[in-house]
Amino acid sequence: MKGTRPLDNAEIRKVSEAFGGTFAIRNRSLFMLGVSVGGRISELIALKVDDVWQNGKPVKDLLFDRNIVKGGEVSRAVPVNVDGREAIEGLIAWHAELFGSIDADRPLFPSRKGRGRKPMTRIAAHDVLKLAFEAAGLNGKLGTHSLRKSYAQRLYEQTNDIYAVQEMLGHKSVVTTQRYLGVNYASVREASEAMSIHFESNVSTKTLSSVNDAADEELLIELLRRGYDVARLLQKDESKQPFQLTTEEDLSAEDNLY
């Protein structure tokens, strides 16, 4: 869904606790696997048991085969972290209890109808996630694509490597990946609260008020994220006035960048 926002870790925890009913484990596992591997909702609901459960345990690397990826693009493998593996284990136990066996060819996220032989639909996935978002008390534009965006944002914040994120998402162009990545949403929320006239001084916030507060490597990253042509800045003729920072200490730091 265009314009949907990512979730931070605190919001992910809230949503994971908001599922209920007979299919709660299926729905929670769909959510947790989605935010852990970044698959499109169409890719997730197309998975079969054998894609995630092999040799009696969850896979550590999930293969999205080209027959289920968008547009039949190339296959891609994505590491499955502990959250994703726990989601798989819970889901497989649920399969065994509900169907009496573990069938490698059964849809990983089965429909309520047809004795589990058909996968849940995208509409069904949207509906169960929407209910969970509401039950968790979240607001803003949220949808199935929020799972993929949450994965992308969190992976980028851990790696600062947009090309790694591009590969894990299966994007053809890094430009598409850039559109996925915004600012750190949690940090912006904290900064926004700090701007309030009701803000209390004893509330701790951590914001980057200026690029001048950052270390050299943080400065480069921040400049890149703000759209500056860093390569041009670094190659600037020494005879020209250097990029302006505010203090002598910052000017010394800038000299170290060349």
Side-chain angles (χ1 to χ4, degrees):
M1 182 187 297
K2 186 176 181 180
T4 53
R5 70 171 179 85
L7 290 78
D8 59 33
N9 282 352
E11 291 176 322
I12 289 172
R13 292 189 192 96
K14 288 181 180 179
V15 176
S16 71
E17 297 169 356
F19 295 96
T22 305
F23 280 70
I25 294 176
R26 179 201 68 175
N27 300 337
R28 181 183 299 112
S29 297
L30 173 67
F31 172 72
M32 290 305 301
L33 194 60
V35 298
S36 298
V37 300
R40 301 177 177 92
I41 197 65
S42 59
E43 295 170 344
L44 294 171
I45 61 178
L47 293 171
K48 296 183 181 298
V49 168
D50 189 49
D51 291 321
V52 302
W53 189 256
Q54 299 171 11
N55 299 318
K57 57 186 178 182
V59 297
K60 291 186 177 180
D61 297 282
L62 175 58
L63 177 67
F64 287 109
D65 194 78
R66 64 177 302 172
N67 67 337
I68 68 171
V69 301
K70 183 179 179 181
E73 298 171 1
V74 297
S75 304
R76 71 182 190 279
V78 182
V80 184
N81 65 13
V82 64
D83 291 337
R85 296 196 299 272
E86 287 179 354
I88 292 170
E89 289 177 340
L91 187 57
I92 296 303
W94 176 80
H95 270 257
E97 181 178 352
L98 186 64
F99 301 113
S101 64
I102 299 174
D103 186 342
D105 290 327
R106 180 176 281 117
L108 183 62
F109 301 104
S111 169
R112 290 175 175 268
K113 303 176 182 179
R115 296 183 60 82
R117 289 299 171 186
K118 293 183 177 181
M120 69 188 301
T121 65
R122 292 178 65 173
I123 294 175
H126 173 270
D127 289 344
V128 298
L129 291 171
K130 181 180 178 181
L131 289 174
F133 294 148
E134 292 175 351
L138 305 187
N139 52 29
K141 194 169 183 180
L142 297 166
T144 56
H145 220 53
S146 293
L147 279 58
R148 185 164 162 85
K149 284 193 172 183
S150 300
Y151 170 81
Q153 187 70 47
R154 296 190 303 151
L155 180 60
Y156 180 69
E157 288 170 4
Q158 287 292 321
T159 65
N160 287 318
D161 186 345
I162 195 171
Y163 294 101
V165 179
Q166 176 193 3
E167 185 172 345
M168 293 302 98
L169 294 179
H171 287 158
K172 288 183 177 180
S173 170
V174 74
V175 174
T176 304
T177 309
Q178 286 177 317
R179 293 179 185 140
Y180 265 61
L181 303 174
V183 296
N184 183 314
Y185 203 81
S187 295
V188 170
R189 181 182 288 118
E190 289 180 356
S192 179
E193 288 295 333
M195 291 161 54
S196 170
I197 61 174
H198 300 292
F199 175 69
E200 297 180 4
S201 60
N202 62 345
V203 177
S204 174
T205 61
K206 183 180 180 181
T207 61
L208 186 63
S209 59
S210 164
V211 293
N212 300 322
D213 297 329
D216 291 354
E217 63 274 11
E218 293 174 329
L219 174 61
L220 283 172
I221 292 168
E222 188 65 21
L223 290 173
L224 285 168
R225 292 183 65 170
R226 295 187 185 189
Y228 287 94
D229 186 346
V230 173
R232 184 181 63 80
L233 290 174
L234 295 179
Q235 295 172 359
K236 196 170 185 179
D237 193 299
E238 291 183 359
S239 64
K240 297 181 180 179
Q241 186 176 1
F243 183 73
Q244 293 298 306
L245 299 176
T246 56
T247 68
E248 292 182 4
E249 184 175 326
D250 289 325
L251 289 172
S252 296
E254 186 199 10
D255 289 339
N256 292 332
L257 297 177
Y258 284 84

